[in-house]
Amino acid sequence: MNESLLSFSEVMESLSELGGKILNDSFDASAFCFTNVETDSRNVVEKTLFVPLVGERQDGHNFIQSAIEKGAGVVFVSRDDDVIRNLIEKNPSVAFIYSSNTMHALQKAAGFYVRKFPNLIRCSVTGSSGKTTTKEIAASILSQKYNVVANFGNYNSETGLPLSVFKIRGTHELGLFEMGMNRENEIGEIADVFRPNYGIVTNIGTAHIGILGSRENIAKEKKKIFSYMDKNGVAVIPAADDFSSFLCDGVKGKVVLYGIDSNPRIKFISDDGLEGTRFSVDGVEMRLAIPGKYNFLNALGAISLALELSLDAEQIKRGIEGVRILGGRSELVKGKYTVLKDCYNANPDSMYKAIELSSSIKVSGKKIFVLGDMLELGADSEKEHKRIGTLLSKTDVDVVVLVGDEINYALLGKPEPEGKPIFYVYVKGRDEDAMKKAAETILSYSEPGDFILLKGSRGVGLERILPLIGM
């Protein structure tokens, strides 16, 4: 039985706009089969479609032979030269399919694959911050009623989302896929792949402003998540965001605004600090174990979607109480110290929220904030890091350890503290030596029972500090 995710004819149809053609002089289409799709040759297994991507530094075509040796049976290429012809001659049983652009070929094939599941409920999440957390909360809730397939981690990019949708199978009832961006029209491209009919926007912030230039441009990109929505779709939009009206304008389906007081069915009960937030849905009390008002807002977006998909309060409660967020995202680590580890990503919005949360909680010992660079801010880097210094002056933090190559701008923005004095230490760099120096600083100023915030962009890798301080 041919179990291929797409047949040979379906692949060729999907690539018609890209000049798709089979390069093999003689090829048996009946033997065509792939059950897995990869862009990284290291992850290839038997019956894999290998898609070599071409970047500024690396050309995936150089790894085709390695992928074939691991079991690739189909290869997309954007070259037809002597090197490729030699590979075809050496591997006659492997289908070599040419198109003008391998990344676009991956997207087109993935989009064709999604359309094979017309009954799948298609949901997506985007936003400047909080989208992965919102997606994980929504997945936990929605899986109480539906057989859900979701992208792993933050596989949400121009290549990550197409790879993720190939995980859809006939038994799945609902697909939930996060959509991120690092460039103009990336949301547009991947929205075309999945074509969600239900969409959540978490917020319009300043993440990637160095690439897109303004929050207005960011809002235009995020809004593309609603591009393929019909009159039966639902757009879940944050009521308090200053781009809320812009996001709502032109939506073809139903608009649902969410926020602390937006839905009478959802009642806030208490902010329990590091233990999370207590609230009720239709009178059923529950607790979100992830701390922070901003994470409660993420949950409200997910709950709003769940209510539109007819989940009841008990199902929502089970989902909320079963939430397991990926490591590094507002993760509470207890031991010698109490550590709020939030170092998967950082932009001005998420940095402010983490600092404000950490300042609001009550602790018996000292507060030590370890902050790393916020990356991808471009020309706004100095200004935004200075603003962090200004914000810190209004908190109750005792010691601030700044780690990286750009975070030192925070020192330029720090006025005299409004309350008690704050001790600052700057550790330059992001390498192992920098982590050791940061750990030594923490150990010299801390005592067991102190509270530590770790917050920085993924590229800084602040989580490396934890074992160095005995956590």
Side-chain angles (χ1 to χ4, degrees):
M1 187 176 106
N2 193 322
E3 68 220 72
S4 189
L5 297 179
L6 290 172
S7 69
F8 176 71
S9 61
E10 288 172 333
V11 170
M12 300 314 295
E13 183 179 346
S14 72
L15 303 187
S16 59
E17 295 177 13
L18 301 173
K21 62 180 180 179
I22 183 76
L23 294 183
N24 305 62
D25 291 331
S26 60
F27 181 74
D28 181 5
S30 65
F32 182 90
C33 181
F34 68 92
T35 57
N36 182 52
V37 184
E38 294 290 348
T39 58
D40 188 334
S41 62
R42 294 169 295 185
N43 298 330
V44 168
V45 295
E46 287 292 322
K47 297 183 180 179
T48 289
L49 160 61
F50 177 58
V51 185
L53 302 177
V54 181
E56 293 180 5
R57 301 178 182 176
Q58 197 79 270
D59 185 346
H61 290 79
N62 297 329
F63 301 94
I64 291 175
Q65 184 59 45
S66 174
I68 291 173
E69 290 170 0
K70 292 184 177 180
V74 183
V75 179
F76 284 176
V77 296
S78 58
R79 287 167 33 189
D80 183 5
D81 53 25
D82 291 343
V83 173
I84 298 300
R85 289 292 171 175
N86 183 52
L87 286 169
I88 295 173
E89 186 176 342
K90 288 169 57 180
N91 305 281
S93 64
V94 176
F96 281 75
I97 299 176
Y98 170 87
S99 71
S100 56
N101 183 298
T102 52
M103 183 186 74
H104 292 160
L106 171 64
Q107 293 174 346
K108 291 293 185 181
F112 194 101
Y113 182 71
V114 171
R115 254 64 89 202
K116 293 181 70 172
F117 303 92
N119 295 324
L120 185 76
I121 301 168
R122 303 184 308 280
C123 308
S124 282
V125 181
T126 193
S128 293
S129 60
K131 53 186 173 291
T132 301
T133 300
T134 302
K135 183 258 298 183
E136 293 293 323
I137 295 172
S140 183
I141 296 171
L142 295 172
S143 63
Q144 304 304 315
K145 178 176 180 178
Y146 299 101
N147 186 347
V148 174
V149 57
N151 50 335
F152 174 75
N154 67 335
Y155 267 56
N156 60 15
S157 65
E158 60 192 3
T159 56
L161 181 128
L163 288 173
S164 294
V165 302
F166 276 112
K167 304 300 182 185
I168 299 170
R169 297 294 182 266
T171 54
H172 292 129
E173 300 168 299
L174 184 148
L176 176 62
F177 293 92
E178 176 186 337
M179 295 185 176
M181 67 175 188
N182 286 294
R183 60 171 175 81
E184 185 177 355
N185 200 41
E186 189 167 358
I187 294 289
E189 288 180 11
I190 57 181
D192 184 33
V193 171
F194 186 55
R195 300 187 183 182
N197 209 31
Y198 295 81
I200 303 174
V201 176
T202 60
N203 50 54
I204 303 299
T206 53
H208 309 305
I209 197 168
I211 299 169
L212 294 175
S214 68
R215 289 182 68 221
E216 288 77 10
N217 288 338
I218 292 169
K220 289 176 184 176
E221 283 297 313
K222 299 298 185 184
K223 188 174 181 177
K224 291 177 182 177
I225 193 176
F226 305 134
S227 297
Y228 297 93
M229 184 173 291
D230 61 28
K231 60 184 176 66
N232 297 314
V234 178
V236 182
I237 293 169
D241 195 284
D242 51 352
F243 281 90
S244 180
S245 295
F246 172 78
L247 293 170
C248 293
D249 186 44
V251 171
K252 293 179 183 177
K254 179 180 180 180
V255 171
V256 174
L257 296 176
Y258 72 93
I260 300 295
D261 299 313
S262 296
N263 190 332
R265 298 176 64 183
I266 307 171
K267 301 289 187 183
F268 169 81
I269 297 174
S270 65
D271 182 343
D272 296 340
L274 291 175
E275 301 304 318
T277 305
R278 285 192 303 130
F279 61 99
S280 66
V281 177
D282 292 339
V284 177
E285 187 173 321
M286 58 197 77
R287 183 170 69 88
L288 176 71
I290 315 167
K293 177 183 176 182
Y294 55 98
N295 282 317
F296 179 47
L297 285 171
N298 292 334
L300 289 176
I303 293 167
S304 298
L305 174 62
L307 291 172
E308 291 300 317
L309 289 168
S310 302
L311 275 80
D312 62 35
E314 289 295 339
Q315 290 170 320
I316 292 171
K317 176 183 172 71
R318 289 198 300 272
I320 284 290
E321 295 183 348
V323 168
R324 296 291 181 269
I325 295 302
L326 298 174
R329 299 176 186 274
S330 298
E331 181 182 354
L332 195 61
V333 182
K334 293 184 177 182
K336 177 182 177 182
Y337 309 106
T338 297
V339 179
L340 181 59
K341 186 176 74 164
D342 193 352
C343 44
Y344 187 87
N345 198 10
N347 55 58
D349 309 293
S350 64
M351 184 70 84
Y352 304 153
K353 290 168 182 173
I355 291 173
E356 288 171 352
L357 166 64
S358 299
S359 183
S360 70
I361 61 172
K362 304 300 180 185
V363 299
S364 57
K366 293 189 293 296
K367 289 185 180 180
I368 301 172
F369 294 176
V370 184
L371 308 179
D373 296 334
M374 298 182 291
L375 303 179
E376 297 182 347
L377 295 179
D380 288 330
S381 180
E382 180 174 346
K383 178 186 72 175
E384 294 295 348
H385 283 95
K386 278 184 179 179
R387 289 177 61 193
I388 297 300
T390 303
L391 177 61
L392 287 168
S393 70
K394 301 175 183 180
T395 71
D396 63 349
V397 65
D398 297 282
V399 179
V400 175
V401 183
L402 305 171
V403 184
D405 297 321
E406 301 174 52
I407 190 69
N408 56 308
Y409 288 128
L411 296 170
L412 302 178
K414 71 177 184 69
E416 287 300 313
E418 297 181 359
K420 64 184 180 182
I422 302 171
F423 188 81
Y424 286 85
V425 177
Y426 171 52
V427 178
K428 182 176 176 56
R430 305 170 189 160
D431 58 11
E432 293 297 333
D433 188 51
M435 298 304 127
K436 289 177 183 177
K437 290 178 181 177
E440 290 168 0
T441 301
I442 295 168
L443 291 170
S444 65
Y445 288 98
S446 65
E447 296 176 357
D450 286 350
F451 170 81
I452 299 173
L453 166 67
L454 288 181
K455 178 68 179 176
S457 282
R458 176 87 288 273
V460 182
L462 290 180
E463 71 279 357
R464 291 176 289 169
I465 292 173
L466 283 176
L468 301 177
I469 60 173
M471 294 291 291

